[in-house]
Structures are given as C-alpha cells and as structure tokens.
Amino acid sequence: MTPHLPFTRPSIDEATIAGVAEVLRSGWITSGPQVKAFEAELSRLCGGRAVRSFNSGTAALEVGLRLAGVRAGDEVITTPLSWVATANVVLEVGARPVFVDVDPRTRNIDLERVEAAITPATRAIIPVDLAGLPVDRDRLYEIAERHRLRVLEDAAQSFGASWRGRTLGSFGDLVAFSFHANKNVTCAEGGAIVLPGPDLVPLCEKLRLQGVTRSGEDGMEVDVLGGKFNLTDVAARIGLGQLPRLAEFTARRRALARAYFERWDASLDCELPPQDFEDSNWHMFQVLLPQRVERARFIAAMREAGIGVGVHYPAMHLFSLYRALGWRAGDFPHAERVGRGIVTLPLFPAMTDADVARVCEAAARVLA
Ligand SMILES: *Cc1c(COP(=O)(O)O)cnc(C)c1O
C-alpha cells in the first residue's frame, strides 16, 4: 500500500526544530527577539519596507483595514472566491463587502468589472491572488488611483510571487501575508503586513496589542482600541527557519506545476490553471472538474487511491451569513461555477515527480 499523499504538507527542517527548542528553553517564548528578527528578514525581502508580524493573516488584514481608515458605512470591493477571512474582516470593522465576479480564466477578481461596483461609499479594494496567481497590479493600481481608493492586497497565498519581476510586498499600498500551516512559508499560525510608509508603524503596533504605547521605564498610555494579535517568538522562530528556503520552495513548486501540465490528460475535459511560471508562486494547483462529475465522489475516490484533494473555495456570498446580507445564487455566475467544480490537487515542496504522475494517473482513472 502506497502511503497517503496529502494535498499539502509543510517542510520544517531539523535546524528549525532545534531552533524552536532553543526558544522554548530560553525563558522568553512570546513576542521578543525572534519576532524582531523575523520582521527584519521580512522587511529585507520586501525591499526594505516597514513590516509588522501578526498571529494570523486574518489579524493582518483586519488591522490593514483599520490602517486604511475603513469604518462602519464604508464599502470594500473584493472577490467572492477566496478564503472567507477576506470578507469576514470587512464585516469585523463594520463595513460592507461588495463582491465583484471573477475572471473564469484566472479565477481572480475581474478588474474590468470593478469600476461598475464603485459607489461614493467605496473606500478600498481587497484583491486576492488565488492559488498564488497575482492579480494584475498595473490595472489594479490604475483603478485605485483614479478613484482614490485604498488597496489592501490579500497576498495570503502569494508570498514569494511577483508582478512583472517585482516581488509582491516590495511595492503597492498595504500588503497582507499569511503564514498559516498550509501556506508556502509557515509559522504554524502567523501573518504580516507590509506598510506603505514607516509613519504607520506606531498605529500598527498599537492596533496589534490593546492600543498600548510604552515610554521610559514605567510609562503606559492607551489612546485607541487595539486587539490581541501579536506573534509569539516560538512561531517567529519557525518562520525564520522557513524564509531562507523561500526561493527553493517556490522553484520546486513551479517545477511540480510544470510536471502537472506535462502529465495531465487533456482529454479529461478539466479546466487547468493559467500556465504562469514567471509570477505565480504556485501555492495551489487547482483544476475545475467537468460539470458531469460529482465533486464529492471524485474526492472520495481519490482518497480511496490514497490521494488528498482539497476544496478552495466555495463562493462565499452563498454562505448563510452572507445570504442574510442580501446575496443570492446567480449573482456571480463565474465564481459560483468555479466554486462548485474546483479541486486542489497535491502540491508541496517535498513531493516528487513520481507523486505527480500518481495523482494524474489516479485522476484519469477516476474521471474515466
Ligand atoms: C489563509 C488566508 C487568509 C487568512 O490567513 P490566516 O493566517 O489563516 O488567518 C486570508 N486570505 C486568504 C486568501 C487566505 O488564503
């Protein structure tokens, strides 16, 4: 019996495990020197811009909205095809998410439809780079500048990806990353935000931890309501062990994606992702099943064959929380169709080319 192949698995090396043990023995396990070092390394990767870490990508997004001045009554434009955190944070700050359908080819927000969704209440856009495929940053910022909108890039899945040769996070407005266990680089749980300027650092730090500012030996002041979003040194040490391997991870993911394209049987009638080997970090390799195939049966049959398959994601405007706010089936036909048929096939750096062949053969058998 061949071992079960999950759809993803983190690559944590022994040096990182030893480093975490050292942190645990050090007597300082929550935010401290490891967090500082992790943020410095992230800043270096983002062209020297100010970066602050969080205990999740969701927290980074929520603080990003607050830093952008998004408040009750504002509207925020985003995609219906993302992890639900993307829209939940908009509700969390009291604003209203306004969904715009996706481009069925990229599965990302269709920028050609964004301007029609802008109203006097629109304050920001949250683009999502689904599966690590970057949203067109030139067109995005052109629209944002013309309408004076803030941009909060949900780059949770696209850490290490780039746009026309520029690393995501090294340019743009606010950029949020996630270091959840399934992301390309992980802290187990964690996140970060890249700030458009260093002037936002003090407010960002206050919003991260109870609104507190310390001064001198004993000074403490609270002038704004902050959350409890700080990263621990234990988690930051995991991330510090991952960052030097980012280039290796991304290259391996690209090679595995190429192997999928080479081996996938085109006669199966599935829609494959765009073959972007320049910019995408290949966070996921997702195919759209033909409409005749029942997705749940495909997933069960693949599990029988020892292969894990994920679903990322159902269109979120159809969740009851969002239906209660007025969205209905039929509002975003492309996102709904993709959300119904999409599956995530195994893709992670420790996978072999033989694993890809095994997935392709099993899928061909199941779909036949
Ligand atoms: C993972 C993810 C998030 C949230 O990140 P967490 O670290 O899990 O809070 C937000 N948006 C997208 C697109 C994600 O994939």
Side-chain angles (χ1 to χ4, degrees):
M1 187 56 199
T2 36
H4 179 77
L5 180 69
F7 72 78
T8 192
R9 187 167 63 210
S11 293
I12 310 286
D13 52 40
E14 290 303 319
T16 302
I17 294 170
V20 169
E22 234 172 80
V23 171
L24 290 171
R25 289 190 192 101
S26 73
W28 192 279
I29 59 177
T30 188
S31 311
Q34 302 296 325
V35 163
K36 284 253 182 310
F38 184 51
E39 290 175 345
E41 197 50 29
L42 287 170
S43 170
R44 203 183 58 76
L45 290 167
C46 293
R49 303 175 88 203
V51 182
R52 287 298 177 272
S53 62
F54 289 83
N55 56 10
S56 73
T58 306
L61 285 168
E62 186 182 326
V63 167
L65 284 175
R66 293 193 193 280
L67 290 172
V70 175
R71 290 175 303 222
D74 291 339
E75 293 177 359
V76 177
I77 292 175
T78 193
T79 170
L81 204 61
S82 179
W83 174 230
V84 69
T86 306
N88 281 354
V89 292
V90 176
L91 295 179
E92 195 61 47
V93 303
R96 180 175 174 83
V98 172
F99 298 114
V100 168
D101 207 355
V102 301
D103 170 342
R105 194 186 68 86
T106 63
R107 303 159 186 169
N108 284 332
I109 191 167
D110 185 348
L111 293 174
E112 298 313 313
R113 296 170 188 259
V114 164
E115 290 191 279
I118 295 172
T119 74
T122 310
R123 181 165 295 255
I125 309 176
I126 307 183
V128 177
D129 307 311
L130 191 70
L133 181 76
V135 168
D136 180 338
R137 295 300 197 272
D138 299 327
R139 184 88 180 92
L140 169 72
Y141 280 102
E142 180 203 310
I143 295 167
E145 273 160 35
R146 178 143 23 94
H147 297 274
R148 301 183 184 285
L149 301 177
R150 298 299 301 269
V151 174
L152 171 57
E153 299 182 23
D154 181 343
Q157 301 188 2
S158 50
F159 188 68
S162 53
W163 177 252
R164 295 190 197 278
R166 300 169 79 195
T167 308
L168 299 190
S170 69
F171 65 99
D173 195 350
L174 295 148
V175 183
F177 296 120
S178 165
F179 304 117
H180 173 265
N182 285 357
K183 300 303 191 323
N184 287 25
V185 155
T186 187
C187 295
E189 298 283 0
I193 194 157
V194 187
L195 303 171
D199 50 313
L200 281 177
V201 167
L203 180 57
C204 181
E205 292 184 346
K206 285 192 281 189
L207 294 174
R208 179 170 65 177
L209 194 66
Q210 314 289 10
V212 166
T213 314
R214 292 174 186 276
S215 56
E217 289 293 334
D218 60 351
M220 188 187 294
E221 168 65 320
V222 177
D223 62 353
V224 65
L225 180 60
K228 170 61 180 170
F229 298 141
N230 55 303
L231 189 70
T232 69
D233 261 20
V234 176
R237 182 61 188 85
I238 302 174
L240 273 169
Q242 294 265 288
L243 291 180
R245 303 187 62 191
L246 173 61
E248 167 206 332
F249 287 166
T250 307
R252 184 64 194 140
R253 285 174 174 276
R254 284 185 181 143
L256 290 163
R258 277 185 204 279
Y260 267 115
F261 282 109
E262 280 163 19
R263 292 178 182 275
W264 190 263
D265 180 351
S267 74
L268 294 175
D269 212 24
C270 292
E271 283 174 45
L272 299 182
Q275 294 196 30
D276 181 324
F277 297 107
E278 301 287 313
D279 290 327
S280 176
N281 68 356
W282 291 99
H283 171 58
M284 296 189 281
F285 190 88
Q286 300 181 288
V287 307
L288 205 59
L289 299 175
Q291 294 207 353
R292 63 179 166 82
V293 176
E294 210 184 299
R295 182 168 61 187
R297 289 181 65 176
F298 175 81
I299 293 170
M302 291 294 278
R303 190 189 305 114
E304 280 292 297
I307 295 166
V309 170
V311 172
H312 308 92
Y313 302 91
M316 60 185 150
H317 66 287
L318 300 180
F319 292 141
S320 54
L321 176 68
Y322 288 89
R323 282 181 192 265
L325 297 171
W327 285 284
R328 294 285 173 267
D331 284 347
F332 309 109
H334 295 306
E336 290 169 29
R337 188 180 69 91
V338 174
R340 271 194 307 271
I342 203 160
V343 288
T344 305
L345 301 177
L347 179 64
F348 54 91
M351 247 174 92
T352 64
D353 288 18
D355 289 328
V356 173
R358 193 179 140 209
V359 175
C360 293
E361 281 156 25
R365 227 181 313 116
V366 169
L367 292 173

